[in-house]
Amino acid sequence: GENWDKTYRAVKDANEAGGLYHVVGGSSGSVSPMGWTFQAGLSGSWGTRYGLGADQVVQIEMVLPNGFHVKFGPTEWKDASAEGFTVPRTIGVTGLCRTNPEERDEEKWVWGDCPNDFGIDFMDLWYAIRGGGGGTWGVVLSMHLQLHDYLPRVDYRASSSEECSATVFTGGPLVNPWQGPLTDPLNVEFVATYMMTPSVLNVTEHQSRACGSPGPTFNMPQCYGEEAISQAWITFLQMKNITGGAECLERSERGGLPSSSALGSRFEGQIADLPSPGIAAAAINGVLVPKAWVEKVGVQSATNLLGMNTNAGLPNFAVNYYAFGSAAVTSDQANSVSQAHRDAGIMILGIDTGSETFWRDIAPEMFDLKDKTKFPPIFGSNHAATGMTGPRKDDWTKPCPGNWTFEERLAGCVSFQEAIYGTETLKRLEAIKKVVDPKNMFACNNCIRATEENEEEAADQEEVPTQEDKDDGVAVKEEDVGSTSSYHRKSFLAIAMMIGAAVNCFVY
């Protein structure tokens, strides 16, 4: 399947041939566009101005658990600018089914209306896949992404010169020599202020949304289009009563797409992997810190409350993803990306959510936990590890005990999915899953599932054959049109699952 390495290079080749395009994607070349995008898609490196990965999708082609080969996308919209959105609201989605699944030549494929017994609402499918994960709804074969006007990228980095280290960046512990002063408290505070409380620095929201920072401990703004980092840095130094220091924030211009020669490349010509692929921790989490909360309490107070990351030896604010930017206003309002994901100012990795301090003292400050029937979305799904859970179900001020068995955690703690999507969205996704895949044919790790009750109900629903395919011994319904028979659909699904395995291998 495709990965961002191939995607970026394809767009780069198009630009060299005369195009002027920009595509929003992940930081690492080896990341799958399918998994990254359908989990929401952080956009700290290549597109905070343009929203999240899920916002870039304009058409999806896939094979569903019922064997139908479909393609679908939005066809009806409503203006939403009066509500503050920069894209229209999707109010209609249309899909087509392939009517000759036995044909292998793609140029001869025939697309038409889906049969009467198709039974799946494309609007629901459009909602579920974009945010609810790609691996649980079927085999994704292709998707069309929105390209944007090309914009050059400008990077800013705290200087590691001796003079700047002696006069400006004087208090930062070094995680490694390459990062230098990036984790200095002054630099961490400046980046947080520019990203989340820009008005303090006389910076507009538009200028702030132009910039992002791609990953943990980088604190290195990467900007597209109109921004105001340099002037904001001078304002920030004046606020801190620091004389001089303007040169301690270095500016460099880059192309609008990732470079094949960037740090981390393992093969010649490959887009870099940052970080390099490895085995993920069992319980890593990404806490979505609401931007509105930081604006209310201020960067310093938020930093103090969130405390230190004991593993990194840094303030939690330094272990971050500034990957949201315009996400709050780029939604088509027909996707399952949580509102917490869109409204976040920062996603912090490694906060100790296994401690009572987080659930008792910190979480209630940032999230509305008053309604005990509706757990809110708190975690981001990108970079979430399989061992992550919310608090105890019977007491949201207490963490899920680490010494509980998997079965005990499943029964007694707010689930992985509920902590990501929130109670209400999770219920809607499970209801759609019941229709699309009632027998949980696609039961990937920690994916949305039909409940056990739904599985039993599906098992009881046997197909009643009205015509026998004597050559193959497979029952075919009369409603099946021409070659779009049950047999062909099942055979095509099996082939698609084998061919599409690589496409979905990075989904979870």
Side-chain angles (χ1 to χ4, degrees):
E2 297 289 331
N3 57 22
W4 283 119
D5 170 54
K6 296 177 182 178
T7 306
Y8 287 140
R9 283 195 278 169
V11 175
K12 184 178 180 181
D13 289 345
N15 287 348
E16 291 175 351
L20 286 173
Y21 303 113
H22 177 85
V23 62
V24 176
S27 293
S28 294
S30 63
V31 170
S32 162
M34 303 299 181
W36 181 88
T37 300
F38 296 141
Q39 284 301 103
L42 302 171
S43 54
S45 298
W46 315 116
T48 51
R49 181 179 292 283
Y50 301 119
L52 302 171
D55 301 328
Q56 316 305 315
V57 183
V58 295
Q59 180 179 292
I60 298 169
E61 177 191 355
M62 63 189 299
V63 178
L64 300 175
N66 62 10
F68 279 101
H69 183 186
V70 301
K71 61 180 180 180
F72 55 99
T75 52
E76 189 175 359
W77 301 268
K78 181 179 180 181
D79 180 71
S81 57
E83 304 166 50
F85 291 93
T86 59
V87 299
R89 179 180 180 180
T90 295
I91 58 175
V93 175
T94 299
L96 299 173
C97 289
R98 184 147 76 91
T99 61
N100 60 339
E102 77 287 349
E103 177 59 62
R104 298 189 178 188
D105 185 347
E106 187 171 351
E107 294 184 359
K108 297 180 181 179
W109 289 356
V110 179
W111 297 92
D113 292 337
C114 296
N116 294 332
D117 66 341
F118 180 64
I120 293 175
D121 187 325
F122 280 112
M123 188 75 175
D124 282 344
L125 200 58
W126 182 249
Y127 168 88
I129 291 178
R130 295 178 313 123
T136 189
W137 310 101
V139 180
V140 178
L141 300 179
S142 72
M143 63 180 177
H144 292 206
L145 299 178
Q146 175 71 55
L147 294 177
H148 302 275
D149 292 334
Y150 178 89
L151 290 173
R153 183 177 125 190
V154 178
D155 289 1
Y156 291 89
R157 179 188 176 99
S159 173
S160 57
S161 70
E162 291 184 6
E163 181 179 355
C164 291
S165 297
T167 60
V168 178
F169 303 119
T170 60
L174 302 184
V175 176
N176 61 53
W178 179 78
Q179 288 172 318
L182 298 181
T183 53
D184 183 281
L186 192 74
N187 186 55
V188 171
E189 182 183 353
F190 168 68
V191 175
T193 303
Y194 187 91
M195 301 292 187
M196 293 188 286
T197 60
S199 61
V200 172
L201 302 172
N202 298 319
V203 172
T204 67
E205 286 289 339
H206 180 75
Q207 292 169 327
S208 174
R209 288 171 177 171
C211 304
S213 186
T217 68
F218 276 28
N219 296 291
M220 184 171 66
Q222 300 172 345
C223 308
Y224 291 89
E226 181 188 352
E227 43 86 8
I229 290 280
S230 296
Q231 184 57 48
W233 173 243
I234 293 173
T235 301
F236 180 76
L237 292 174
Q238 292 171 347
M239 290 169 54
K240 295 294 182 179
N241 296 316
I242 297 174
T243 303
E247 72 285 355
C248 293
L249 194 66
E250 299 173 347
R251 183 181 190 273
S252 60
E253 296 186 5
R254 297 183 55 181
L257 292 170
S259 168
S260 60
S261 61
L263 180 69
S265 294
R266 296 180 295 155
F267 306 104
E268 183 177 357
Q270 181 202 31
I271 300 300
D273 288 328
L274 290 173
S276 297
I279 298 175
I284 190 172
N285 60 63
V287 176
L288 299 168
V289 178
K291 182 179 178 182
W293 174 72
V294 178
E295 290 174 331
K296 177 182 176 181
V297 303
V299 169
Q300 280 289 358
S301 295
T303 302
N304 293 338
L305 180 64
L306 291 169
M308 295 288 291
N309 184 300
T310 54
N311 293 325
L314 297 167
N316 272 312
F317 249 37
V319 188
N320 57 49
Y321 272 83
Y322 289 106
F324 305 96
S326 301
V329 298
T330 55
S331 172
D332 73 342
Q333 303 180 66
N335 58 82
S336 49
V337 177
S338 77
Q339 197 58 45
H341 201 111
R342 293 193 174 279
D343 292 341
I346 182 175
M347 185 173 80
I348 296 179
L349 299 180
I351 291 181
D352 185 7
T353 56
S355 72
E356 190 167 320
T357 299
F358 177 80
W359 295 109
R360 184 192 62 213
D361 302 331
I362 299 177
E365 289 288 325
M366 296 191 293
F367 305 101
D368 185 359
L369 297 172
K370 297 183 181 67
D371 186 346
K372 299 306 178 183
T373 65
K374 297 177 182 178
F375 193 80
I378 286 180
F379 298 140
S381 57
N382 293 98
H383 296 278
T386 58
M388 187 188 76
T389 68
R392 290 178 55 143
K393 288 181 179 179
D394 60 354
D395 188 346
W396 290 357
T397 67
K398 297 185 182 300
C400 189
N403 59 352
W404 279 11
T405 65
F406 176 80
E407 289 74 19
E408 288 172 330
R409 290 163 70 86
L410 194 64
C413 301
V414 173
S415 71
F416 176 97
Q417 298 94 335
E418 192 169 4
I420 288 174
Y421 296 109
T423 304
E424 293 182 306
T425 297
L426 178 59
K427 285 182 178 178
R428 181 177 178 186
L429 288 171
E430 289 174 341
I432 297 172
K433 175 71 170 179
K434 176 184 175 181
V435 175
V436 175
D437 185 17
K439 297 181 182 180
N440 285 314
M441 178 184 294
F442 290 84
C444 48
N445 187 33
N446 271 332
C447 294
I448 302 297
R449 294 176 59 90
T451 64
E452 291 182 5
E453 292 80 5
N454 293 339
E455 290 182 46
E456 293 172 0
E457 179 182 323
D460 293 335
Q461 295 176 349
E462 298 181 0
E463 293 186 356
V464 180
T466 57
Q467 175 186 340
E468 292 296 327
D469 184 333
K470 295 182 179 179
D471 292 335
D472 299 290
V474 179
V476 182
K477 288 185 177 180
E478 287 181 346
E479 297 96 305
D480 292 329
V481 181
S483 60
T484 316
S485 66
S486 173
Y487 169 71
H488 283 121
R489 294 202 307 269
K490 290 172 182 174
S491 299
F492 188 72
L493 176 59
I495 295 171
M497 289 176 71
M498 290 186 288
I499 295 174
V503 173
N504 287 287
C505 66
F506 288 102
V507 170
Y508 287 89

